[in-house]
Amino acid sequence: MRAMVCIALLVGAAPAAADPATSLRCIRTQQIKEARQVAGQGYFVRTGKGWWRNAAQACSAFGPDRTLITRIAEAQLCRGDIVDVVNLQTGFSHGSCGLDEWQKVDAPPPK
């Protein structure tokens, strides 16, 4: 009887599945039409299905005139991937960030 109660509690505590219309685990890089980084707010990309935000664990390295460098085998950016943030002009590294799940947004914050 005790084992059944534990199993019921574990099943009841499981998180709800993410809605695929508003969140994605991965975005294929060839789908990205535009990208923006906003310090403290995340990495925003526009695909044919609208704008998506990756909070990237509140990565402070994001900012204007910076790009992401990835070392991934797949041509996609996924939750759990580590990206390096580099200044476009100088090549200076601002650090690395871990990506989160992609969330659908209406638009990125203004530049």
Side-chain angles (χ1 to χ4, degrees):
M1 183 72 165
R2 180 173 264 162
M4 289 192 326
V5 171
C6 290
I7 291 170
L9 290 174
L10 289 173
V11 170
D19 180 356
T22 60
S23 67
L24 297 172
R25 186 177 185 287
C26 299
I27 289 184
R28 297 187 61 76
T29 54
Q30 61 263 40
Q31 293 175 320
I32 297 173
K33 299 177 184 306
E34 184 178 351
R36 293 187 199 163
Q37 296 178 42
V38 180
Q41 295 188 42
Y43 182 54
F44 296 82
V45 299
R46 184 174 58 85
T47 71
K49 295 182 180 183
W51 283 97
W52 298 86
R53 173 184 177 252
N54 195 303
Q57 303 170 6
C59 183
S60 61
F62 289 153
D65 299 325
R66 297 180 185 173
T67 192
L68 301 185
I69 297 177
T70 61
R71 291 172 179 81
I72 52 178
E74 302 289 325
Q76 54 190 5
L77 296 170
C78 297
R79 182 186 68 198
D81 287 348
I82 304 296
V83 295
D84 295 322
V85 182
V86 178
N87 182 288
L88 286 171
Q89 272 60 17
T90 65
F92 177 79
S93 175
H94 292 275
S96 299
C97 304
L99 296 180
D100 291 327
E101 193 125 326
W102 293 93
Q103 301 296 319
K104 184 96 167 93
V105 294
D106 292 330
K111 289 183 180 182

